[in-house]
Each structure stands twice: as C-alpha cells, then as structure tokens.
PDB file of all heavy atoms in Angstrom:
ATOM      1  N   LEU A   3      -7.575  -2.522  11.365  1.00 95.00           N
ATOM      2  CA  LEU A   3      -8.733  -2.435  10.470  1.00 95.00           C
ATOM      3  C   LEU A   3      -8.583  -3.304   9.224  1.00 95.00           C
ATOM      4  O   LEU A   3      -9.450  -3.294   8.355  1.00 95.00           O
ATOM      5  CB  LEU A   3      -8.975  -0.973  10.072  1.00 95.00           C
ATOM      6  CG  LEU A   3      -9.269  -0.035  11.250  1.00 95.00           C
ATOM      7  CD1 LEU A   3      -9.435   1.403  10.759  1.00 95.00           C
ATOM      8  CD2 LEU A   3     -10.499  -0.492  12.010  1.00 95.00           C
ATOM      9  N   TRP A   4      -7.472  -4.037   9.147  1.00 95.00           N
ATOM     10  CA  TRP A   4      -7.214  -4.914   8.001  1.00 95.00           C
ATOM     11  C   TRP A   4      -6.985  -6.345   8.484  1.00 95.00           C
ATOM     12  O   TRP A   4      -6.025  -6.605   9.205  1.00 95.00           O
ATOM     13  CB  TRP A   4      -5.973  -4.435   7.237  1.00 95.00           C
ATOM     14  CG  TRP A   4      -6.199  -3.141   6.550  1.00 95.00           C
ATOM     15  CD1 TRP A   4      -5.858  -1.902   6.994  1.00 95.00           C
ATOM     16  CD2 TRP A   4      -6.847  -2.949   5.296  1.00 95.00           C
ATOM     17  NE1 TRP A   4      -6.254  -0.943   6.103  1.00 95.00           N
ATOM     18  CE2 TRP A   4      -6.869  -1.561   5.041  1.00 95.00           C
ATOM     19  CE3 TRP A   4      -7.419  -3.802   4.369  1.00 95.00           C
ATOM     20  CZ2 TRP A   4      -7.433  -1.020   3.897  1.00 95.00           C
ATOM     21  CZ3 TRP A   4      -7.980  -3.260   3.231  1.00 95.00           C
ATOM     22  CH2 TRP A   4      -7.985  -1.881   3.002  1.00 95.00           C
ATOM     23  N   PRO A   5      -7.825  -7.301   8.068  1.00 95.00           N
ATOM     24  CA  PRO A   5      -7.595  -8.691   8.478  1.00 95.00           C
ATOM     25  C   PRO A   5      -6.373  -9.293   7.782  1.00 95.00           C
ATOM     26  O   PRO A   5      -5.772 -10.225   8.297  1.00 95.00           O
ATOM     27  CB  PRO A   5      -8.879  -9.408   8.070  1.00 95.00           C
ATOM     28  CG  PRO A   5      -9.488  -8.557   7.023  1.00 95.00           C
ATOM     29  CD  PRO A   5      -9.061  -7.144   7.330  1.00 95.00           C
ATOM     30  N   GLU A   6      -6.012  -8.766   6.606  1.00 95.00           N
ATOM     31  CA  GLU A   6      -4.827  -9.200   5.866  1.00 95.00           C
ATOM     32  C   GLU A   6      -3.998  -7.976   5.516  1.00 95.00           C
ATOM     33  O   GLU A   6      -4.501  -6.856   5.494  1.00 95.00           O
ATOM     34  CB  GLU A   6      -5.232  -9.949   4.595  1.00 95.00           C
ATOM     35  CG  GLU A   6      -5.991 -11.243   4.883  1.00 95.00           C
ATOM     36  CD  GLU A   6      -6.375 -11.976   3.611  1.00 95.00           C
ATOM     37  OE1 GLU A   6      -5.678 -11.826   2.596  1.00 95.00           O
ATOM     38  OE2 GLU A   6      -7.385 -12.695   3.646  1.00 95.00           O
ATOM     39  N   ASP A   7      -2.748  -8.183   5.211  1.00 96.00           N
ATOM     40  CA  ASP A   7      -1.842  -7.093   4.843  1.00 96.00           C
ATOM     41  C   ASP A   7      -2.297  -6.481   3.514  1.00 96.00           C
ATOM     42  O   ASP A   7      -2.314  -7.163   2.487  1.00 96.00           O
ATOM     43  CB  ASP A   7      -0.413  -7.644   4.716  1.00 96.00           C
ATOM     44  CG  ASP A   7       0.633  -6.557   4.554  1.00 96.00           C
ATOM     45  OD1 ASP A   7       0.271  -5.405   4.221  1.00 96.00           O
ATOM     46  OD2 ASP A   7       1.820  -6.864   4.752  1.00 96.00           O
ATOM     47  N   PRO A   8      -2.664  -5.190   3.499  1.00 96.00           N
ATOM     48  CA  PRO A   8      -3.149  -4.569   2.268  1.00 96.00           C
ATOM     49  C   PRO A   8      -2.040  -4.014   1.366  1.00 96.00           C
ATOM     50  O   PRO A   8      -2.324  -3.508   0.283  1.00 96.00           O
ATOM     51  CB  PRO A   8      -4.031  -3.428   2.788  1.00 96.00           C
ATOM     52  CG  PRO A   8      -3.336  -3.003   4.046  1.00 96.00           C
ATOM     53  CD  PRO A   8      -2.807  -4.292   4.652  1.00 96.00           C
ATOM     54  N   ARG A   9      -0.797  -4.102   1.800  1.00 97.00           N
ATOM     55  CA  ARG A   9       0.285  -3.476   1.029  1.00 97.00           C
ATOM     56  C   ARG A   9       0.512  -4.158  -0.314  1.00 97.00           C
ATOM     57  O   ARG A   9       0.250  -5.340  -0.490  1.00 97.00           O
ATOM     58  CB  ARG A   9       1.579  -3.479   1.838  1.00 97.00           C
ATOM     59  CG  ARG A   9       1.527  -2.539   3.039  1.00 97.00           C
ATOM     60  CD  ARG A   9       2.783  -2.598   3.842  1.00 97.00           C
ATOM     61  NE  ARG A   9       2.858  -3.928   4.472  1.00 97.00           N
ATOM     62  CZ  ARG A   9       3.787  -4.283   5.345  1.00 97.00           C
ATOM     63  NH1 ARG A   9       4.725  -3.429   5.700  1.00 97.00           N
ATOM     64  NH2 ARG A   9       3.776  -5.485   5.873  1.00 97.00           N
ATOM     65  N   LEU A  10       1.034  -3.372  -1.229  1.00 96.00           N
ATOM     66  CA  LEU A  10       1.370  -3.876  -2.568  1.00 96.00           C
ATOM     67  C   LEU A  10       2.524  -4.870  -2.475  1.00 96.00           C
ATOM     68  O   LEU A  10       3.514  -4.583  -1.796  1.00 96.00           O
ATOM     69  CB  LEU A  10       1.779  -2.708  -3.477  1.00 96.00           C
ATOM     70  CG  LEU A  10       0.693  -1.669  -3.751  1.00 96.00           C
ATOM     71  CD1 LEU A  10       1.319  -0.381  -4.249  1.00 96.00           C
ATOM     72  CD2 LEU A  10      -0.301  -2.216  -4.754  1.00 96.00           C
ATOM     73  N   PRO A  11       2.437  -6.000  -3.166  1.00 96.00           N
ATOM     74  CA  PRO A  11       3.570  -6.934  -3.204  1.00 96.00           C
ATOM     75  C   PRO A  11       4.774  -6.300  -3.903  1.00 96.00           C
ATOM     76  O   PRO A  11       4.631  -5.420  -4.763  1.00 96.00           O
ATOM     77  CB  PRO A  11       3.038  -8.116  -4.009  1.00 96.00           C
ATOM     78  CG  PRO A  11       1.550  -8.000  -3.938  1.00 96.00           C
ATOM     79  CD  PRO A  11       1.265  -6.532  -3.835  1.00 96.00           C
ATOM     80  N   GLN A  12       5.953  -6.760  -3.563  1.00 96.00           N
ATOM     81  CA  GLN A  12       7.196  -6.168  -4.072  1.00 96.00           C
ATOM     82  C   GLN A  12       7.264  -6.050  -5.599  1.00 96.00           C
ATOM     83  O   GLN A  12       7.663  -5.002  -6.100  1.00 96.00           O
ATOM     84  CB  GLN A  12       8.413  -6.931  -3.539  1.00 96.00           C
ATOM     85  CG  GLN A  12       9.741  -6.296  -3.913  1.00 96.00           C
ATOM     86  CD  GLN A  12       9.826  -4.821  -3.526  1.00 96.00           C
ATOM     87  OE1 GLN A  12       9.487  -4.438  -2.429  1.00 96.00           O
ATOM     88  NE2 GLN A  12      10.265  -3.978  -4.447  1.00 96.00           N
ATOM     89  N   PRO A  13       6.899  -7.062  -6.364  1.00 95.00           N
ATOM     90  CA  PRO A  13       7.004  -6.885  -7.817  1.00 95.00           C
ATOM     91  C   PRO A  13       6.193  -5.699  -8.335  1.00 95.00           C
ATOM     92  O   PRO A  13       6.606  -5.004  -9.264  1.00 95.00           O
ATOM     93  CB  PRO A  13       6.481  -8.205  -8.385  1.00 95.00           C
ATOM     94  CG  PRO A  13       6.630  -9.193  -7.281  1.00 95.00           C
ATOM     95  CD  PRO A  13       6.468  -8.416  -6.010  1.00 95.00           C
ATOM     96  N   PHE A  14       5.041  -5.454  -7.719  1.00 96.00           N
ATOM     97  CA  PHE A  14       4.207  -4.332  -8.140  1.00 96.00           C
ATOM     98  C   PHE A  14       4.803  -3.007  -7.678  1.00 96.00           C
ATOM     99  O   PHE A  14       4.746  -2.005  -8.394  1.00 96.00           O
ATOM    100  CB  PHE A  14       2.775  -4.512  -7.617  1.00 96.00           C
ATOM    101  CG  PHE A  14       2.061  -5.648  -8.283  1.00 96.00           C
ATOM    102  CD1 PHE A  14       2.158  -6.928  -7.775  1.00 96.00           C
ATOM    103  CD2 PHE A  14       1.321  -5.442  -9.432  1.00 96.00           C
ATOM    104  CE1 PHE A  14       1.515  -7.989  -8.393  1.00 96.00           C
ATOM    105  CE2 PHE A  14       0.679  -6.484 -10.062  1.00 96.00           C
ATOM    106  CZ  PHE A  14       0.780  -7.766  -9.551  1.00 96.00           C
ATOM    107  N   ARG A  15       5.374  -2.988  -6.497  1.00 96.00           N
ATOM    108  CA  ARG A  15       6.044  -1.782  -5.999  1.00 96.00           C
ATOM    109  C   ARG A  15       7.179  -1.394  -6.946  1.00 96.00           C
ATOM    110  O   ARG A  15       7.339  -0.227  -7.309  1.00 96.00           O
ATOM    111  CB  ARG A  15       6.594  -2.006  -4.595  1.00 96.00           C
ATOM    112  CG  ARG A  15       5.550  -2.351  -3.558  1.00 96.00           C
ATOM    113  CD  ARG A  15       6.187  -2.722  -2.223  1.00 96.00           C
ATOM    114  NE  ARG A  15       6.624  -1.521  -1.535  1.00 96.00           N
ATOM    115  CZ  ARG A  15       5.816  -0.689  -0.889  1.00 96.00           C
ATOM    116  NH1 ARG A  15       4.533  -0.940  -0.831  1.00 96.00           N
ATOM    117  NH2 ARG A  15       6.277   0.378  -0.289  1.00 96.00           N
ATOM    118  N   SER A  16       7.965  -2.376  -7.348  1.00 97.00           N
ATOM    119  CA  SER A  16       9.090  -2.123  -8.255  1.00 97.00           C
ATOM    120  C   SER A  16       8.603  -1.630  -9.609  1.00 97.00           C
ATOM    121  O   SER A  16       9.166  -0.691 -10.172  1.00 97.00           O
ATOM    122  CB  SER A  16       9.928  -3.392  -8.433  1.00 97.00           C
ATOM    123  OG  SER A  16      10.510  -3.780  -7.218  1.00 97.00           O
ATOM    124  N   ALA A  17       7.556  -2.270 -10.128  1.00 97.00           N
ATOM    125  CA  ALA A  17       7.029  -1.858 -11.437  1.00 97.00           C
ATOM    126  C   ALA A  17       6.503  -0.423 -11.378  1.00 97.00           C
ATOM    127  O   ALA A  17       6.738   0.372 -12.299  1.00 97.00           O
ATOM    128  CB  ALA A  17       5.938  -2.815 -11.888  1.00 97.00           C
ATOM    129  N   LEU A  18       5.799  -0.080 -10.308  1.00 98.00           N
ATOM    130  CA  LEU A  18       5.293   1.286 -10.173  1.00 98.00           C
ATOM    131  C   LEU A  18       6.440   2.290 -10.081  1.00 98.00           C
ATOM    132  O   LEU A  18       6.391   3.360 -10.705  1.00 98.00           O
ATOM    133  CB  LEU A  18       4.373   1.396  -8.959  1.00 98.00           C
ATOM    134  CG  LEU A  18       3.003   0.751  -9.143  1.00 98.00           C
ATOM    135  CD1 LEU A  18       2.295   0.576  -7.806  1.00 98.00           C
ATOM    136  CD2 LEU A  18       2.155   1.581 -10.095  1.00 98.00           C
ATOM    137  N   ALA A  19       7.480   1.957  -9.331  1.00 97.00           N
ATOM    138  CA  ALA A  19       8.646   2.846  -9.227  1.00 97.00           C
ATOM    139  C   ALA A  19       9.305   3.010 -10.595  1.00 97.00           C
ATOM    140  O   ALA A  19       9.690   4.123 -10.974  1.00 97.00           O
ATOM    141  CB  ALA A  19       9.638   2.301  -8.209  1.00 97.00           C
ATOM    142  N   ASP A  20       9.417   1.920 -11.349  1.00 97.00           N
ATOM    143  CA  ASP A  20      10.001   1.995 -12.689  1.00 97.00           C
ATOM    144  C   ASP A  20       9.185   2.891 -13.616  1.00 97.00           C
ATOM    145  O   ASP A  20       9.724   3.485 -14.548  1.00 97.00           O
ATOM    146  CB  ASP A  20      10.119   0.601 -13.311  1.00 97.00           C
ATOM    147  CG  ASP A  20      11.177  -0.261 -12.635  1.00 97.00           C
ATOM    148  OD1 ASP A  20      12.011   0.277 -11.868  1.00 97.00           O
ATOM    149  OD2 ASP A  20      11.160  -1.496 -12.873  1.00 97.00           O
ATOM    150  N   LEU A  21       7.890   2.985 -13.356  1.00 97.00           N
ATOM    151  CA  LEU A  21       7.010   3.838 -14.152  1.00 97.00           C
ATOM    152  C   LEU A  21       6.933   5.264 -13.601  1.00 97.00           C
ATOM    153  O   LEU A  21       6.155   6.080 -14.091  1.00 97.00           O
ATOM    154  CB  LEU A  21       5.613   3.221 -14.231  1.00 97.00           C
ATOM    155  CG  LEU A  21       5.528   1.938 -15.059  1.00 97.00           C
ATOM    156  CD1 LEU A  21       4.215   1.208 -14.783  1.00 97.00           C
ATOM    157  CD2 LEU A  21       5.691   2.249 -16.539  1.00 97.00           C
ATOM    158  N   GLY A  22       7.709   5.554 -12.570  1.00 96.00           N
ATOM    159  CA  GLY A  22       7.778   6.908 -12.037  1.00 96.00           C
ATOM    160  C   GLY A  22       6.755   7.227 -10.966  1.00 96.00           C
ATOM    161  O   GLY A  22       6.635   8.382 -10.556  1.00 96.00           O
ATOM    162  N   ALA A  23       6.019   6.234 -10.501  1.00 98.00           N
ATOM    163  CA  ALA A  23       5.037   6.483  -9.446  1.00 98.00           C
ATOM    164  C   ALA A  23       5.724   6.461  -8.082  1.00 98.00           C
ATOM    165  O   ALA A  23       6.736   5.786  -7.900  1.00 98.00           O
ATOM    166  CB  ALA A  23       3.932   5.427  -9.484  1.00 98.00           C
ATOM    167  N   GLU A  24       5.161   7.185  -7.152  1.00 98.00           N
ATOM    168  CA  GLU A  24       5.678   7.217  -5.792  1.00 98.00           C
ATOM    169  C   GLU A  24       4.655   6.552  -4.869  1.00 98.00           C
ATOM    170  O   GLU A  24       3.493   6.957  -4.836  1.00 98.00           O
ATOM    171  CB  GLU A  24       5.915   8.661  -5.355  1.00 98.00           C
ATOM    172  CG  GLU A  24       6.503   8.786  -3.979  1.00 98.00           C
ATOM    173  CD  GLU A  24       6.819  10.228  -3.619  1.00 98.00           C
ATOM    174  OE1 GLU A  24       7.375  10.955  -4.466  1.00 98.00           O
ATOM    175  OE2 GLU A  24       6.505  10.624  -2.475  1.00 98.00           O
ATOM    176  N   ILE A  25       5.088   5.511  -4.157  1.00 97.00           N
ATOM    177  CA  ILE A  25       4.221   4.850  -3.189  1.00 97.00           C
ATOM    178  C   ILE A  25       4.155   5.733  -1.944  1.00 97.00           C
ATOM    179  O   ILE A  25       5.179   6.131  -1.398  1.00 97.00           O
ATOM    180  CB  ILE A  25       4.764   3.455  -2.797  1.00 97.00           C
ATOM    181  CG1 ILE A  25       5.013   2.593  -4.032  1.00 97.00           C
ATOM    182  CG2 ILE A  25       3.818   2.769  -1.811  1.00 97.00           C
ATOM    183  CD1 ILE A  25       3.804   2.214  -4.802  1.00 97.00           C
ATOM    184  N   ALA A  26       2.922   6.040  -1.512  1.00 97.00           N
ATOM    185  CA  ALA A  26       2.710   6.927  -0.370  1.00 97.00           C
ATOM    186  C   ALA A  26       1.900   6.183   0.699  1.00 97.00           C
ATOM    187  O   ALA A  26       0.681   6.063   0.594  1.00 97.00           O
ATOM    188  CB  ALA A  26       1.974   8.183  -0.832  1.00 97.00           C
ATOM    189  N   PRO A  27       2.580   5.639   1.729  1.00 97.00           N
ATOM    190  CA  PRO A  27       1.867   4.876   2.759  1.00 97.00           C
ATOM    191  C   PRO A  27       0.994   5.765   3.640  1.00 97.00           C
ATOM    192  O   PRO A  27       1.328   6.915   3.894  1.00 97.00           O
ATOM    193  CB  PRO A  27       2.992   4.241   3.563  1.00 97.00           C
ATOM    194  CG  PRO A  27       4.209   5.033   3.272  1.00 97.00           C
ATOM    195  CD  PRO A  27       4.015   5.707   1.955  1.00 97.00           C
ATOM    196  N   PHE A  28      -0.128   5.192   4.082  1.00 96.00           N
ATOM    197  CA  PHE A  28      -0.976   5.895   5.047  1.00 96.00           C
ATOM    198  C   PHE A  28      -1.602   4.883   5.998  1.00 96.00           C
ATOM    199  O   PHE A  28      -1.760   3.717   5.666  1.00 96.00           O
ATOM    200  CB  PHE A  28      -2.059   6.736   4.356  1.00 96.00           C
ATOM    201  CG  PHE A  28      -3.136   5.940   3.671  1.00 96.00           C
ATOM    202  CD1 PHE A  28      -4.308   5.610   4.346  1.00 96.00           C
ATOM    203  CD2 PHE A  28      -2.998   5.526   2.358  1.00 96.00           C
ATOM    204  CE1 PHE A  28      -5.308   4.883   3.718  1.00 96.00           C
ATOM    205  CE2 PHE A  28      -3.989   4.807   1.716  1.00 96.00           C
ATOM    206  CZ  PHE A  28      -5.153   4.484   2.402  1.00 96.00           C
ATOM    207  N   GLU A  29      -1.938   5.345   7.181  1.00 95.00           N
ATOM    208  CA  GLU A  29      -2.571   4.509   8.194  1.00 95.00           C
ATOM    209  C   GLU A  29      -4.090   4.612   8.061  1.00 95.00           C
ATOM    210  O   GLU A  29      -4.630   5.706   7.915  1.00 95.00           O
ATOM    211  CB  GLU A  29      -2.158   4.979   9.591  1.00 95.00           C
ATOM    212  CG  GLU A  29      -0.668   4.973   9.767  1.00 95.00           C
ATOM    213  CD  GLU A  29      -0.233   4.139  10.945  1.00 95.00           C
ATOM    214  OE1 GLU A  29      -1.085   3.568  11.639  1.00 95.00           O
ATOM    215  OE2 GLU A  29       0.985   4.073  11.142  1.00 95.00           O
ATOM    216  N   SER A  30      -4.751   3.491   8.099  1.00 93.00           N
ATOM    217  CA  SER A  30      -6.218   3.462   8.093  1.00 93.00           C
ATOM    218  C   SER A  30      -6.688   3.640   9.527  1.00 93.00           C
ATOM    219  O   SER A  30      -6.564   2.747  10.346  1.00 93.00           O
ATOM    220  CB  SER A  30      -6.720   2.136   7.532  1.00 93.00           C
ATOM    221  OG  SER A  30      -6.316   1.985   6.204  1.00 93.00           O
ATOM    222  N   ARG A  31      -7.199   4.810   9.821  1.00 93.00           N
ATOM    223  CA  ARG A  31      -7.631   5.110  11.186  1.00 93.00           C
ATOM    224  C   ARG A  31      -9.134   4.920  11.387  1.00 93.00           C
ATOM    225  O   ARG A  31      -9.591   4.760  12.508  1.00 93.00           O
ATOM    226  CB  ARG A  31      -7.250   6.538  11.545  1.00 93.00           C
ATOM    227  CG  ARG A  31      -5.754   6.774  11.488  1.00 93.00           C
ATOM    228  CD  ARG A  31      -5.412   8.194  11.932  1.00 93.00           C
ATOM    229  NE  ARG A  31      -4.049   8.556  11.632  1.00 93.00           N
ATOM    230  CZ  ARG A  31      -2.991   8.170  12.314  1.00 93.00           C
ATOM    231  NH1 ARG A  31      -3.144   7.371  13.344  1.00 93.00           N
ATOM    232  NH2 ARG A  31      -1.782   8.569  11.976  1.00 93.00           N
ATOM    233  N   HIS A  32      -9.900   4.983  10.283  1.00 93.00           N
ATOM    234  CA  HIS A  32     -11.351   4.945  10.418  1.00 93.00           C
ATOM    235  C   HIS A  32     -12.039   3.891   9.557  1.00 93.00           C
ATOM    236  O   HIS A  32     -13.108   3.426   9.924  1.00 93.00           O
ATOM    237  CB  HIS A  32     -11.949   6.308  10.075  1.00 93.00           C
ATOM    238  CG  HIS A  32     -11.395   7.417  10.893  1.00 93.00           C
ATOM    239  ND1 HIS A  32     -11.755   7.628  12.211  1.00 93.00           N
ATOM    240  CD2 HIS A  32     -10.473   8.364  10.610  1.00 93.00           C
ATOM    241  CE1 HIS A  32     -11.087   8.659  12.691  1.00 93.00           C
ATOM    242  NE2 HIS A  32     -10.304   9.127  11.741  1.00 93.00           N
ATOM    243  N   PHE A  33     -11.478   3.531   8.413  1.00 92.00           N
ATOM    244  CA  PHE A  33     -12.219   2.719   7.462  1.00 92.00           C
ATOM    245  C   PHE A  33     -11.624   1.325   7.265  1.00 92.00           C
ATOM    246  O   PHE A  33     -12.207   0.351   7.680  1.00 92.00           O
ATOM    247  CB  PHE A  33     -12.337   3.452   6.127  1.00 92.00           C
ATOM    248  CG  PHE A  33     -13.048   4.764   6.254  1.00 92.00           C
ATOM    249  CD1 PHE A  33     -12.349   5.955   6.181  1.00 92.00           C
ATOM    250  CD2 PHE A  33     -14.414   4.814   6.484  1.00 92.00           C
ATOM    251  CE1 PHE A  33     -13.000   7.170   6.311  1.00 92.00           C
ATOM    252  CE2 PHE A  33     -15.076   6.022   6.619  1.00 92.00           C
ATOM    253  CZ  PHE A  33     -14.362   7.208   6.529  1.00 92.00           C
ATOM    254  N   GLY A  34     -10.498   1.203   6.601  1.00 92.00           N
ATOM    255  CA  GLY A  34      -9.873  -0.097   6.379  1.00 92.00           C
ATOM    256  C   GLY A  34     -10.691  -1.009   5.495  1.00 92.00           C
ATOM    257  O   GLY A  34     -11.384  -0.570   4.584  1.00 92.00           O
TER     258      GLY A  34
END
C-alpha cells in the first residue's frame, strides 16, 4: 500500500529516541 518506504529515516529515529519517544511499527492493511 506504499509506493515508497514510509519509515522514519535513521537520524529522526535517533532524535525521537533521545527525546524519550518509542517508535511503534505497524502494518498498513487497509489504507497506506
């Protein structure tokens, strides 16, 4: 359902982790 990879790039993942956020992956089954 995604023509391009929708995941967060690594620098943003690291910054969010440094700010105490937890990345929670999910599969797009219906929308995308």
Side-chain angles (χ1 to χ4, degrees):
L3 299 178
W4 291 97
E6 296 180 27
D7 189 343
R9 291 178 292 186
L10 297 161
Q12 186 53 47
F14 291 88
R15 300 173 77 77
S16 296
L18 286 165
D20 290 346
L21 291 165
E24 182 176 316
I25 306 294
F28 69 92
E29 303 236 0
S30 297
R31 299 183 192 283
H32 304 284
F33 300 106

